[in-house]
Short mmCIF file of all heavy atoms in Angstrom, two decimals:
data_model
loop_
_atom_site.label_atom_id
_atom_site.label_comp_id
_atom_site.label_asym_id
_atom_site.label_seq_id
_atom_site.Cartn_x
_atom_site.Cartn_y
_atom_site.Cartn_z
N ILE A 186 -21.80 5.54 -40.16
CA ILE A 186 -21.86 4.26 -39.51
C ILE A 186 -23.18 3.47 -39.90
O ILE A 186 -23.10 2.34 -40.11
CB ILE A 186 -21.78 4.45 -37.98
CG1 ILE A 186 -20.48 5.03 -37.50
CG2 ILE A 186 -22.12 3.11 -37.13
CD1 ILE A 186 -20.38 5.48 -36.03
N SER A 215 -5.97 20.26 -28.02
CA SER A 215 -7.35 20.63 -27.62
C SER A 215 -8.44 19.98 -28.38
O SER A 215 -9.61 20.21 -28.08
CB SER A 215 -7.45 22.21 -27.75
OG SER A 215 -7.23 22.56 -29.05
N ARG A 218 -12.20 15.42 -27.21
CA ARG A 218 -12.07 13.94 -26.95
C ARG A 218 -13.25 13.65 -26.02
O ARG A 218 -13.39 14.27 -24.96
CB ARG A 218 -10.84 13.57 -26.43
CG ARG A 218 -9.71 13.69 -27.42
CD ARG A 218 -8.31 13.64 -26.79
NE ARG A 218 -7.14 13.54 -27.65
CZ ARG A 218 -6.61 14.63 -28.24
NH1 ARG A 218 -6.99 15.78 -27.99
NH2 ARG A 218 -5.51 14.40 -29.06
N PRO A 254 0.30 13.10 -53.21
CA PRO A 254 0.73 13.42 -54.50
C PRO A 254 1.24 14.85 -54.61
O PRO A 254 0.58 15.69 -53.92
CB PRO A 254 -0.47 13.11 -55.46
CG PRO A 254 -1.55 12.98 -54.54
CD PRO A 254 -0.99 12.57 -53.18
N TYR A 259 -1.01 18.96 -52.56
CA TYR A 259 -0.35 20.30 -51.98
C TYR A 259 -1.13 21.60 -52.54
O TYR A 259 -0.58 22.61 -52.65
CB TYR A 259 1.17 20.41 -52.38
CG TYR A 259 1.80 19.36 -51.41
CD1 TYR A 259 1.97 17.97 -51.77
CD2 TYR A 259 2.29 19.72 -50.16
CE1 TYR A 259 2.56 17.12 -50.97
CE2 TYR A 259 2.83 18.93 -49.26
CZ TYR A 259 3.05 17.58 -49.73
OH TYR A 259 3.62 16.72 -48.79
N GLY A 263 -3.99 21.04 -48.75
CA GLY A 263 -2.60 20.67 -48.72
C GLY A 263 -1.72 21.85 -48.86
O GLY A 263 -0.52 21.70 -48.50
N ARG A 341 -20.97 30.74 -34.11
CA ARG A 341 -21.83 29.72 -34.87
C ARG A 341 -22.72 30.49 -35.86
O ARG A 341 -22.80 30.03 -36.99
CB ARG A 341 -22.74 28.92 -33.81
CG ARG A 341 -23.31 27.70 -34.52
CD ARG A 341 -24.41 27.06 -33.79
NE ARG A 341 -25.07 26.01 -34.56
CZ ARG A 341 -25.82 26.31 -35.71
NH1 ARG A 341 -26.01 27.45 -36.03
NH2 ARG A 341 -26.36 25.30 -36.33
N GLU A 343 -22.04 33.38 -37.22
CA GLU A 343 -21.14 33.77 -38.28
C GLU A 343 -20.77 32.69 -39.23
O GLU A 343 -20.73 32.89 -40.47
CB GLU A 343 -19.86 34.29 -37.64
CG GLU A 343 -19.89 35.74 -37.02
CD GLU A 343 -19.96 36.70 -38.17
OE1 GLU A 343 -19.00 36.89 -38.82
OE2 GLU A 343 -20.99 37.29 -38.26
N GLN A 360 -29.05 30.14 -62.30
CA GLN A 360 -29.44 31.26 -63.12
C GLN A 360 -28.61 31.42 -64.36
O GLN A 360 -28.86 32.31 -65.19
CB GLN A 360 -29.40 32.55 -62.29
CG GLN A 360 -30.36 32.70 -61.19
CD GLN A 360 -30.15 33.81 -60.19
OE1 GLN A 360 -28.89 34.29 -60.15
NE2 GLN A 360 -31.02 34.11 -59.33
N GLU A 382 -9.86 31.64 -46.15
CA GLU A 382 -8.47 31.21 -46.68
C GLU A 382 -8.47 30.92 -48.03
O GLU A 382 -7.69 31.19 -48.74
CB GLU A 382 -8.18 29.96 -45.80
CG GLU A 382 -6.85 30.06 -45.06
CD GLU A 382 -6.65 28.93 -44.14
OE1 GLU A 382 -6.40 27.82 -44.63
OE2 GLU A 382 -6.62 29.13 -42.94
N ASN A 401 -19.39 18.37 -62.95
CA ASN A 401 -17.90 18.21 -62.73
C ASN A 401 -17.22 19.43 -62.07
O ASN A 401 -16.20 19.94 -62.40
CB ASN A 401 -17.24 17.99 -64.14
CG ASN A 401 -15.78 17.76 -64.03
OD1 ASN A 401 -15.33 17.06 -63.07
ND2 ASN A 401 -14.95 18.04 -64.99
#
Side-chain angles (χ1 to χ4, degrees):
I186 296 170
S215 58
R218 290 164 171 88
Y259 287 87
R341 192 196 172 287
E343 282 287 288
Q360 288 165 345
E382 239 172 64
N401 186 30

